[in-house]
Amino acid sequence: MTVGFDIESLACQIREARGVAHKRDIDAVVARLGVGSRHAAVPVGDDCAAIPDGGGHLLFAIEGFLDGFVAADPYFAGYCGIMVNLSDIAAMGGRPLAVVDALWSQDAAGADPILAGLSDAAALYGVPVVGGHTNTRATSGNLAVAVLGRAGPHLLTSFDAAPGDDLVAAIDLRGRFREPHPYWDASTGSPGERLRDDLALLPGLAEDGLCRSAKDISMAGVVGTALMLLECSGVGGVIDLDAIPRPPGVPLDRWLTAFPSFGYLLSVRPDRTPSVLARFAERGIAAAGIGRLDASRVAWVRGGAGDEAVVWDFVAGPLIGCGQDRAGAAS
């Protein structure tokens, strides 16, 4: 529980977390490229670029990894190259088709654990690596991985959360931290069939019309990811910190900046929330309503004693600059 925590300090910690700081950098890039409006042919701000294709959509996403992470845990960096990209595809209600990678290392020996992680994850999740770029004569190690997927006509997006929706968090708590990093690993060592079927929950929700908006929980953490979802949709809301699914014994302040290997935020109509929660529960995944969205365009967090603090006021200024016209008006 949040008893004993100062709610203003927690809100400040969320705003100043490294993962949120990285997301704030997106605003300048969006402005320089002249993209970001939800009315663009391919809106920017979702977990993937959703490209209309016949009666459905092609999904295209990429992840780049910090060089320090690649150096400290090269196997898991390679593994994450597959895992996090497939999470992005699932977050939009899609299924993966294929992956490509771009890898730099000082020599072949340095590349080997990264490639092992890529290979193992590709086999577990059942998605092929079909090509890429390799340089084993670089001055340092770096990794980027891209994925292609497909979704039907009904996407889960970052732009369709609406006032009155429940904000639902679904997180696989059957894992452990990869110390000393903030990565909650519920994937390595798990059966491939379970991992694949768990990801299939998201396109199932989209296809059955149970959910219209979702986002993969990123390095920004649960609340930081919620900020991006709220900004893109032009809404606000209050997040109940005590309602966020959390592993036993993990301090709240650490959990709020953790990156779970399976974690999603969903915007759900209240009459459909019980069905959504039941689907995750059937697969042993913790899910709960953690807040209610409103039209305020201000994001609050609430503690166990009922105390509240503003985390972000989108009227005052953007976080990532997506989901709005560049003049600053919410779309």
PDB file of all heavy atoms in Angstrom, residues 118-157:
ATOM      1  N   LEU A 118      18.407 -13.635 -29.351  1.00  0.00           N
ATOM      2  CA  LEU A 118      17.474 -13.468 -30.461  1.00  0.00           C
ATOM      3  C   LEU A 118      16.931 -14.814 -30.924  1.00  0.00           C
ATOM      4  O   LEU A 118      15.723 -14.985 -31.113  1.00  0.00           O
ATOM      5  CB  LEU A 118      18.172 -12.762 -31.627  1.00  0.00           C
ATOM      6  CG  LEU A 118      18.341 -11.248 -31.560  1.00  0.00           C
ATOM      7  CD1 LEU A 118      19.366 -10.787 -32.580  1.00  0.00           C
ATOM      8  CD2 LEU A 118      17.011 -10.546 -31.802  1.00  0.00           C
ATOM      9  N   SER A 119      17.830 -15.760 -31.095  1.00  0.00           N
ATOM     10  CA  SER A 119      17.437 -17.071 -31.604  1.00  0.00           C
ATOM     11  C   SER A 119      16.515 -17.807 -30.648  1.00  0.00           C
ATOM     12  O   SER A 119      15.492 -18.381 -31.059  1.00  0.00           O
ATOM     13  CB  SER A 119      18.689 -17.914 -31.877  1.00  0.00           C
ATOM     14  OG  SER A 119      18.354 -19.205 -32.335  1.00  0.00           O
ATOM     15  N   ASP A 120      16.854 -17.787 -29.361  1.00  0.00           N
ATOM     16  CA  ASP A 120      16.032 -18.495 -28.373  1.00  0.00           C
ATOM     17  C   ASP A 120      14.628 -17.894 -28.281  1.00  0.00           C
ATOM     18  O   ASP A 120      13.630 -18.621 -28.217  1.00  0.00           O
ATOM     19  CB  ASP A 120      16.699 -18.461 -26.999  1.00  0.00           C
ATOM     20  CG  ASP A 120      17.920 -19.368 -26.923  1.00  0.00           C
ATOM     21  OD1 ASP A 120      18.157 -20.133 -27.885  1.00  0.00           O
ATOM     22  OD2 ASP A 120      18.637 -19.304 -25.907  1.00  0.00           O
ATOM     23  N   ALA A 121      14.550 -16.561 -28.258  1.00  0.00           N
ATOM     24  CA  ALA A 121      13.240 -15.921 -28.149  1.00  0.00           C
ATOM     25  C   ALA A 121      12.413 -16.154 -29.408  1.00  0.00           C
ATOM     26  O   ALA A 121      11.199 -16.383 -29.335  1.00  0.00           O
ATOM     27  CB  ALA A 121      13.404 -14.429 -27.891  1.00  0.00           C
ATOM     28  N   ALA A 122      13.066 -16.110 -30.577  1.00  0.00           N
ATOM     29  CA  ALA A 122      12.340 -16.355 -31.825  1.00  0.00           C
ATOM     30  C   ALA A 122      11.727 -17.747 -31.831  1.00  0.00           C
ATOM     31  O   ALA A 122      10.591 -17.945 -32.271  1.00  0.00           O
ATOM     32  CB  ALA A 122      13.272 -16.164 -33.014  1.00  0.00           C
ATOM     33  N   ALA A 123      12.469 -18.723 -31.310  1.00  0.00           N
ATOM     34  CA  ALA A 123      11.959 -20.093 -31.267  1.00  0.00           C
ATOM     35  C   ALA A 123      10.807 -20.211 -30.274  1.00  0.00           C
ATOM     36  O   ALA A 123       9.782 -20.838 -30.562  1.00  0.00           O
ATOM     37  CB  ALA A 123      13.088 -21.052 -30.894  1.00  0.00           C
ATOM     38  N   LEU A 124      10.953 -19.608 -29.086  1.00  0.00           N
ATOM     39  CA  LEU A 124       9.905 -19.700 -28.070  1.00  0.00           C
ATOM     40  C   LEU A 124       8.608 -19.040 -28.527  1.00  0.00           C
ATOM     41  O   LEU A 124       7.508 -19.565 -28.318  1.00  0.00           O
ATOM     42  CB  LEU A 124      10.368 -19.054 -26.771  1.00  0.00           C
ATOM     43  CG  LEU A 124      11.234 -19.903 -25.838  1.00  0.00           C
ATOM     44  CD1 LEU A 124      11.769 -19.043 -24.703  1.00  0.00           C
ATOM     45  CD2 LEU A 124      10.435 -21.071 -25.269  1.00  0.00           C
ATOM     46  N   TYR A 125       8.733 -17.863 -29.137  1.00  0.00           N
ATOM     47  CA  TYR A 125       7.548 -17.116 -29.538  1.00  0.00           C
ATOM     48  C   TYR A 125       7.041 -17.504 -30.926  1.00  0.00           C
ATOM     49  O   TYR A 125       5.985 -17.034 -31.354  1.00  0.00           O
ATOM     50  CB  TYR A 125       7.829 -15.617 -29.488  1.00  0.00           C
ATOM     51  CG  TYR A 125       7.836 -15.049 -28.092  1.00  0.00           C
ATOM     52  CD1 TYR A 125       9.031 -14.824 -27.409  1.00  0.00           C
ATOM     53  CD2 TYR A 125       6.652 -14.729 -27.438  1.00  0.00           C
ATOM     54  CE1 TYR A 125       9.039 -14.296 -26.126  1.00  0.00           C
ATOM     55  CE2 TYR A 125       6.649 -14.200 -26.161  1.00  0.00           C
ATOM     56  CZ  TYR A 125       7.848 -13.979 -25.507  1.00  0.00           C
ATOM     57  OH  TYR A 125       7.851 -13.460 -24.233  1.00  0.00           O
ATOM     58  N   GLY A 126       7.808 -18.324 -31.631  1.00  0.00           N
ATOM     59  CA  GLY A 126       7.341 -18.832 -32.916  1.00  0.00           C
ATOM     60  C   GLY A 126       7.285 -17.793 -34.018  1.00  0.00           C
ATOM     61  O   GLY A 126       6.380 -17.804 -34.850  1.00  0.00           O
ATOM     62  N   VAL A 127       8.269 -16.887 -34.039  1.00  0.00           N
ATOM     63  CA  VAL A 127       8.323 -15.880 -35.090  1.00  0.00           C
ATOM     64  C   VAL A 127       9.715 -15.926 -35.725  1.00  0.00           C
ATOM     65  O   VAL A 127      10.725 -15.982 -35.015  1.00  0.00           O
ATOM     66  CB  VAL A 127       8.017 -14.479 -34.533  1.00  0.00           C
ATOM     67  CG1 VAL A 127       8.997 -14.088 -33.442  1.00  0.00           C
ATOM     68  CG2 VAL A 127       8.010 -13.439 -35.634  1.00  0.00           C
ATOM     69  N   PRO A 128       9.819 -15.942 -37.062  1.00  0.00           N
ATOM     70  CA  PRO A 128      11.129 -16.085 -37.691  1.00  0.00           C
ATOM     71  C   PRO A 128      11.909 -14.783 -37.785  1.00  0.00           C
ATOM     72  O   PRO A 128      11.335 -13.712 -37.974  1.00  0.00           O
ATOM     73  CB  PRO A 128      10.776 -16.589 -39.102  1.00  0.00           C
ATOM     74  CG  PRO A 128       9.436 -15.983 -39.377  1.00  0.00           C
ATOM     75  CD  PRO A 128       8.720 -15.979 -38.045  1.00  0.00           C
ATOM     76  N   VAL A 129      13.229 -14.883 -37.624  1.00  0.00           N
ATOM     77  CA  VAL A 129      14.135 -13.789 -37.976  1.00  0.00           C
ATOM     78  C   VAL A 129      14.499 -13.996 -39.445  1.00  0.00           C
ATOM     79  O   VAL A 129      15.095 -15.012 -39.808  1.00  0.00           O
ATOM     80  CB  VAL A 129      15.399 -13.799 -37.093  1.00  0.00           C
ATOM     81  CG1 VAL A 129      16.341 -12.669 -37.502  1.00  0.00           C
ATOM     82  CG2 VAL A 129      15.033 -13.666 -35.619  1.00  0.00           C
ATOM     83  N   VAL A 130      14.122 -13.025 -40.294  1.00  0.00           N
ATOM     84  CA  VAL A 130      14.237 -13.243 -41.740  1.00  0.00           C
ATOM     85  C   VAL A 130      15.367 -12.444 -42.388  1.00  0.00           C
ATOM     86  O   VAL A 130      15.556 -12.511 -43.598  1.00  0.00           O
ATOM     87  CB  VAL A 130      12.900 -12.914 -42.437  1.00  0.00           C
ATOM     88  CG1 VAL A 130      11.803 -13.857 -41.961  1.00  0.00           C
ATOM     89  CG2 VAL A 130      12.495 -11.463 -42.214  1.00  0.00           C
ATOM     90  N   GLY A 131      16.132 -11.705 -41.594  1.00  0.00           N
ATOM     91  CA  GLY A 131      17.244 -10.957 -42.170  1.00  0.00           C
ATOM     92  C   GLY A 131      17.646  -9.816 -41.265  1.00  0.00           C
ATOM     93  O   GLY A 131      17.217  -9.722 -40.120  1.00  0.00           O
ATOM     94  N   GLY A 132      18.483  -8.918 -41.804  1.00  0.00           N
ATOM     95  CA  GLY A 132      18.906  -7.769 -41.024  1.00  0.00           C
ATOM     96  C   GLY A 132      20.249  -7.245 -41.470  1.00  0.00           C
ATOM     97  O   GLY A 132      20.675  -7.427 -42.616  1.00  0.00           O
ATOM     98  N   HIS A 133      20.957  -6.611 -40.551  1.00  0.00           N
ATOM     99  CA  HIS A 133      22.265  -6.018 -40.812  1.00  0.00           C
ATOM    100  C   HIS A 133      23.203  -6.391 -39.670  1.00  0.00           C
ATOM    101  O   HIS A 133      22.823  -6.320 -38.501  1.00  0.00           O
ATOM    102  CB  HIS A 133      22.147  -4.489 -40.901  1.00  0.00           C
ATOM    103  CG  HIS A 133      23.478  -3.793 -40.920  1.00  0.00           C
ATOM    104  ND1 HIS A 133      24.197  -3.620 -42.083  1.00  0.00           N
ATOM    105  CD2 HIS A 133      24.213  -3.235 -39.923  1.00  0.00           C
ATOM    106  CE1 HIS A 133      25.327  -2.980 -41.801  1.00  0.00           C
ATOM    107  NE2 HIS A 133      25.357  -2.733 -40.491  1.00  0.00           N
ATOM    108  N   THR A 134      24.420  -6.800 -40.001  1.00  0.00           N
ATOM    109  CA  THR A 134      25.392  -7.209 -38.983  1.00  0.00           C
ATOM    110  C   THR A 134      26.742  -6.548 -39.246  1.00  0.00           C
ATOM    111  O   THR A 134      27.234  -6.552 -40.383  1.00  0.00           O
ATOM    112  CB  THR A 134      25.577  -8.739 -38.976  1.00  0.00           C
ATOM    113  OG1 THR A 134      24.316  -9.363 -38.766  1.00  0.00           O
ATOM    114  CG2 THR A 134      26.540  -9.156 -37.874  1.00  0.00           C
ATOM    115  N   ASN A 135      27.332  -5.986 -38.191  1.00  0.00           N
ATOM    116  CA  ASN A 135      28.677  -5.426 -38.252  1.00  0.00           C
ATOM    117  C   ASN A 135      29.429  -5.893 -37.021  1.00  0.00           C
ATOM    118  O   ASN A 135      29.136  -5.459 -35.909  1.00  0.00           O
ATOM    119  CB  ASN A 135      28.608  -3.898 -38.303  1.00  0.00           C
ATOM    120  CG  ASN A 135      29.980  -3.252 -38.406  1.00  0.00           C
ATOM    121  OD1 ASN A 135      30.999  -3.882 -38.162  1.00  0.00           O
ATOM    122  ND2 ASN A 135      29.996  -1.982 -38.771  1.00  0.00           N
ATOM    123  N   THR A 136      30.371  -6.815 -37.192  1.00  0.00           N
ATOM    124  CA  THR A 136      31.138  -7.338 -36.058  1.00  0.00           C
ATOM    125  C   THR A 136      32.543  -6.714 -35.987  1.00  0.00           C
ATOM    126  O   THR A 136      33.447  -7.273 -35.386  1.00  0.00           O
ATOM    127  CB  THR A 136      31.263  -8.864 -36.144  1.00  0.00           C
ATOM    128  OG1 THR A 136      31.870  -9.223 -37.394  1.00  0.00           O
ATOM    129  CG2 THR A 136      29.902  -9.522 -36.036  1.00  0.00           C
ATOM    130  N   ARG A 137      32.684  -5.514 -36.579  1.00  0.00           N
ATOM    131  CA  ARG A 137      33.955  -4.785 -36.513  1.00  0.00           C
ATOM    132  C   ARG A 137      33.712  -3.343 -36.049  1.00  0.00           C
ATOM    133  O   ARG A 137      34.416  -2.419 -36.448  1.00  0.00           O
ATOM    134  CB  ARG A 137      34.654  -4.801 -37.874  1.00  0.00           C
ATOM    135  CG  ARG A 137      34.992  -6.202 -38.367  1.00  0.00           C
ATOM    136  CD  ARG A 137      35.523  -6.206 -39.795  1.00  0.00           C
ATOM    137  NE  ARG A 137      35.689  -7.573 -40.304  1.00  0.00           N
ATOM    138  CZ  ARG A 137      36.783  -8.293 -40.177  1.00  0.00           C
ATOM    139  NH1 ARG A 137      37.824  -7.781 -39.551  1.00  0.00           N
ATOM    140  NH2 ARG A 137      36.847  -9.517 -40.671  1.00  0.00           N
ATOM    141  N   ALA A 138      32.701  -3.167 -35.206  1.00  0.00           N
ATOM    142  CA  ALA A 138      32.340  -1.841 -34.705  1.00  0.00           C
ATOM    143  C   ALA A 138      33.135  -1.512 -33.447  1.00  0.00           C
ATOM    144  O   ALA A 138      33.816  -2.366 -32.866  1.00  0.00           O
ATOM    145  CB  ALA A 138      30.842  -1.789 -34.415  1.00  0.00           C
ATOM    146  N   THR A 139      33.054  -0.260 -33.009  1.00  0.00           N
ATOM    147  CA  THR A 139      33.787   0.155 -31.814  1.00  0.00           C
ATOM    148  C   THR A 139      33.034  -0.174 -30.531  1.00  0.00           C
ATOM    149  O   THR A 139      33.618  -0.181 -29.453  1.00  0.00           O
ATOM    150  CB  THR A 139      34.066   1.664 -31.852  1.00  0.00           C
ATOM    151  OG1 THR A 139      32.829   2.369 -31.998  1.00  0.00           O
ATOM    152  CG2 THR A 139      34.971   2.000 -33.048  1.00  0.00           C
ATOM    153  N   SER A 140      31.713  -0.442 -30.642  1.00  0.00           N
ATOM    154  CA  SER A 140      30.923  -0.787 -29.461  1.00  0.00           C
ATOM    155  C   SER A 140      29.732  -1.628 -29.888  1.00  0.00           C
ATOM    156  O   SER A 140      29.424  -1.745 -31.075  1.00  0.00           O
ATOM    157  CB  SER A 140      30.444   0.480 -28.728  1.00  0.00           C
ATOM    158  OG  SER A 140      29.606   1.248 -29.566  1.00  0.00           O
ATOM    159  N   GLY A 141      29.067  -2.210 -28.892  1.00  0.00           N
ATOM    160  CA  GLY A 141      27.922  -3.056 -29.186  1.00  0.00           C
ATOM    161  C   GLY A 141      26.613  -2.288 -29.151  1.00  0.00           C
ATOM    162  O   GLY A 141      26.346  -1.527 -28.229  1.00  0.00           O
ATOM    163  N   ASN A 142      25.794  -2.475 -30.175  1.00  0.00           N
ATOM    164  CA  ASN A 142      24.479  -1.856 -30.248  1.00  0.00           C
ATOM    165  C   ASN A 142      23.515  -2.801 -30.933  1.00  0.00           C
ATOM    166  O   ASN A 142      23.923  -3.667 -31.718  1.00  0.00           O
ATOM    167  CB  ASN A 142      24.523  -0.522 -31.005  1.00  0.00           C
ATOM    168  CG  ASN A 142      25.176   0.578 -30.206  1.00  0.00           C
ATOM    169  OD1 ASN A 142      24.582   1.153 -29.318  1.00  0.00           O
ATOM    170  ND2 ASN A 142      26.445   0.854 -30.523  1.00  0.00           N
ATOM    171  N   LEU A 143      22.232  -2.619 -30.658  1.00  0.00           N
ATOM    172  CA  LEU A 143      21.226  -3.527 -31.202  1.00  0.00           C
ATOM    173  C   LEU A 143      19.927  -2.778 -31.457  1.00  0.00           C
ATOM    174  O   LEU A 143      19.483  -1.970 -30.637  1.00  0.00           O
ATOM    175  CB  LEU A 143      20.956  -4.665 -30.206  1.00  0.00           C
ATOM    176  CG  LEU A 143      19.839  -5.650 -30.571  1.00  0.00           C
ATOM    177  CD1 LEU A 143      20.230  -6.490 -31.784  1.00  0.00           C
ATOM    178  CD2 LEU A 143      19.518  -6.556 -29.382  1.00  0.00           C
ATOM    179  N   ALA A 144      19.337  -3.042 -32.604  1.00  0.00           N
ATOM    180  CA  ALA A 144      17.984  -2.588 -32.911  1.00  0.00           C
ATOM    181  C   ALA A 144      17.275  -3.744 -33.610  1.00  0.00           C
ATOM    182  O   ALA A 144      17.897  -4.506 -34.368  1.00  0.00           O
ATOM    183  CB  ALA A 144      17.990  -1.356 -33.806  1.00  0.00           C
ATOM    184  N   VAL A 145      15.999  -3.892 -33.324  1.00  0.00           N
ATOM    185  CA  VAL A 145      15.214  -4.994 -33.881  1.00  0.00           C
ATOM    186  C   VAL A 145      13.876  -4.437 -34.341  1.00  0.00           C
ATOM    187  O   VAL A 145      13.248  -3.643 -33.640  1.00  0.00           O
ATOM    188  CB  VAL A 145      14.985  -6.114 -32.843  1.00  0.00           C
ATOM    189  CG1 VAL A 145      14.194  -7.266 -33.453  1.00  0.00           C
ATOM    190  CG2 VAL A 145      16.327  -6.630 -32.310  1.00  0.00           C
ATOM    191  N   ALA A 146      13.433  -4.861 -35.524  1.00  0.00           N
ATOM    192  CA  ALA A 146      12.156  -4.421 -36.073  1.00  0.00           C
ATOM    193  C   ALA A 146      11.276  -5.629 -36.349  1.00  0.00           C
ATOM    194  O   ALA A 146      11.776  -6.731 -36.613  1.00  0.00           O
ATOM    195  CB  ALA A 146      12.360  -3.617 -37.356  1.00  0.00           C
ATOM    196  N   VAL A 147       9.973  -5.405 -36.308  1.00  0.00           N
ATOM    197  CA  VAL A 147       9.027  -6.502 -36.489  1.00  0.00           C
ATOM    198  C   VAL A 147       7.904  -6.058 -37.418  1.00  0.00           C
ATOM    199  O   VAL A 147       7.494  -4.890 -37.424  1.00  0.00           O
ATOM    200  CB  VAL A 147       8.447  -6.967 -35.128  1.00  0.00           C
ATOM    201  CG1 VAL A 147       7.692  -5.850 -34.454  1.00  0.00           C
ATOM    202  CG2 VAL A 147       7.549  -8.188 -35.291  1.00  0.00           C
ATOM    203  N   LEU A 148       7.416  -7.003 -38.202  1.00  0.00           N
ATOM    204  CA  LEU A 148       6.257  -6.803 -39.059  1.00  0.00           C
ATOM    205  C   LEU A 148       5.140  -7.702 -38.563  1.00  0.00           C
ATOM    206  O   LEU A 148       5.371  -8.876 -38.238  1.00  0.00           O
ATOM    207  CB  LEU A 148       6.596  -7.154 -40.509  1.00  0.00           C
ATOM    208  CG  LEU A 148       5.482  -6.978 -41.540  1.00  0.00           C
ATOM    209  CD1 LEU A 148       5.149  -5.498 -41.726  1.00  0.00           C
ATOM    210  CD2 LEU A 148       5.885  -7.602 -42.877  1.00  0.00           C
ATOM    211  N   GLY A 149       3.946  -7.153 -38.468  1.00  0.00           N
ATOM    212  CA  GLY A 149       2.805  -7.942 -38.022  1.00  0.00           C
ATOM    213  C   GLY A 149       1.571  -7.605 -38.818  1.00  0.00           C
ATOM    214  O   GLY A 149       1.589  -6.758 -39.720  1.00  0.00           O
ATOM    215  N   ARG A 150       0.488  -8.251 -38.467  1.00  0.00           N
ATOM    216  CA  ARG A 150      -0.774  -7.996 -39.149  1.00  0.00           C
ATOM    217  C   ARG A 150      -1.915  -7.986 -38.132  1.00  0.00           C
ATOM    218  O   ARG A 150      -1.916  -8.761 -37.172  1.00  0.00           O
ATOM    219  CB  ARG A 150      -1.042  -9.067 -40.215  1.00  0.00           C
ATOM    220  CG  ARG A 150      -2.326  -8.803 -41.015  1.00  0.00           C
ATOM    221  CD  ARG A 150      -2.530  -9.852 -42.100  1.00  0.00           C
ATOM    222  NE  ARG A 150      -1.522  -9.769 -43.131  1.00  0.00           N
ATOM    223  CZ  ARG A 150      -1.548  -8.886 -44.128  1.00  0.00           C
ATOM    224  NH1 ARG A 150      -2.526  -8.001 -44.194  1.00  0.00           N
ATOM    225  NH2 ARG A 150      -0.602  -8.873 -45.038  1.00  0.00           N
ATOM    226  N   ALA A 151      -2.858  -7.083 -38.360  1.00  0.00           N
ATOM    227  CA  ALA A 151      -4.070  -7.003 -37.539  1.00  0.00           C
ATOM    228  C   ALA A 151      -5.272  -6.880 -38.458  1.00  0.00           C
ATOM    229  O   ALA A 151      -5.140  -6.519 -39.636  1.00  0.00           O
ATOM    230  CB  ALA A 151      -4.007  -5.809 -36.590  1.00  0.00           C
ATOM    231  N   GLY A 152      -6.421  -7.162 -37.915  1.00  0.00           N
ATOM    232  CA  GLY A 152      -7.655  -7.029 -38.669  1.00  0.00           C
ATOM    233  C   GLY A 152      -8.124  -5.590 -38.724  1.00  0.00           C
ATOM    234  O   GLY A 152      -7.372  -4.659 -38.442  1.00  0.00           O
ATOM    235  N   PRO A 153      -9.386  -5.369 -39.044  1.00  0.00           N
ATOM    236  CA  PRO A 153      -9.903  -3.997 -39.158  1.00  0.00           C
ATOM    237  C   PRO A 153     -10.048  -3.293 -37.815  1.00  0.00           C
ATOM    238  O   PRO A 153     -10.066  -2.062 -37.760  1.00  0.00           O
ATOM    239  CB  PRO A 153     -11.263  -4.192 -39.830  1.00  0.00           C
ATOM    240  CG  PRO A 153     -11.663  -5.598 -39.492  1.00  0.00           C
ATOM    241  CD  PRO A 153     -10.383  -6.380 -39.433  1.00  0.00           C
ATOM    242  N   HIS A 154     -10.148  -4.051 -36.719  1.00  0.00           N
ATOM    243  CA  HIS A 154     -10.372  -3.456 -35.400  1.00  0.00           C
ATOM    244  C   HIS A 154      -9.066  -3.427 -34.611  1.00  0.00           C
ATOM    245  O   HIS A 154      -8.666  -4.417 -33.999  1.00  0.00           O
ATOM    246  CB  HIS A 154     -11.436  -4.238 -34.645  1.00  0.00           C
ATOM    247  CG  HIS A 154     -12.737  -4.337 -35.371  1.00  0.00           C
ATOM    248  ND1 HIS A 154     -13.506  -3.234 -35.683  1.00  0.00           N
ATOM    249  CD2 HIS A 154     -13.397  -5.408 -35.879  1.00  0.00           C
ATOM    250  CE1 HIS A 154     -14.586  -3.614 -36.334  1.00  0.00           C
ATOM    251  NE2 HIS A 154     -14.550  -4.926 -36.473  1.00  0.00           N
ATOM    252  N   LEU A 155      -8.399  -2.280 -34.646  1.00  0.00           N
ATOM    253  CA  LEU A 155      -7.143  -2.110 -33.932  1.00  0.00           C
ATOM    254  C   LEU A 155      -7.389  -1.755 -32.473  1.00  0.00           C
ATOM    255  O   LEU A 155      -8.422  -1.193 -32.112  1.00  0.00           O
ATOM    256  CB  LEU A 155      -6.322  -0.986 -34.560  1.00  0.00           C
ATOM    257  CG  LEU A 155      -5.757  -1.198 -35.958  1.00  0.00           C
ATOM    258  CD1 LEU A 155      -5.173   0.112 -36.464  1.00  0.00           C
ATOM    259  CD2 LEU A 155      -4.696  -2.293 -35.949  1.00  0.00           C
ATOM    260  N   LEU A 156      -6.413  -2.069 -31.633  1.00  0.00           N
ATOM    261  CA  LEU A 156      -6.292  -1.442 -30.324  1.00  0.00           C
ATOM    262  C   LEU A 156      -5.319  -0.283 -30.511  1.00  0.00           C
ATOM    263  O   LEU A 156      -4.202  -0.494 -30.968  1.00  0.00           O
ATOM    264  CB  LEU A 156      -5.755  -2.434 -29.288  1.00  0.00           C
ATOM    265  CG  LEU A 156      -6.536  -3.729 -29.105  1.00  0.00           C
ATOM    266  CD1 LEU A 156      -5.855  -4.604 -28.062  1.00  0.00           C
ATOM    267  CD2 LEU A 156      -7.973  -3.452 -28.715  1.00  0.00           C
ATOM    268  N   THR A 157      -5.723   0.929 -30.189  1.00  0.00           N
ATOM    269  CA  THR A 157      -4.881   2.080 -30.463  1.00  0.00           C
ATOM    270  C   THR A 157      -4.612   2.881 -29.191  1.00  0.00           C
ATOM    271  O   THR A 157      -5.183   2.636 -28.137  1.00  0.00           O
ATOM    272  CB  THR A 157      -5.533   3.025 -31.498  1.00  0.00           C
ATOM    273  OG1 THR A 157      -6.494   3.857 -30.836  1.00  0.00           O
ATOM    274  CG2 THR A 157      -6.209   2.242 -32.614  1.00  0.00           C
TER     275      THR A 157
END
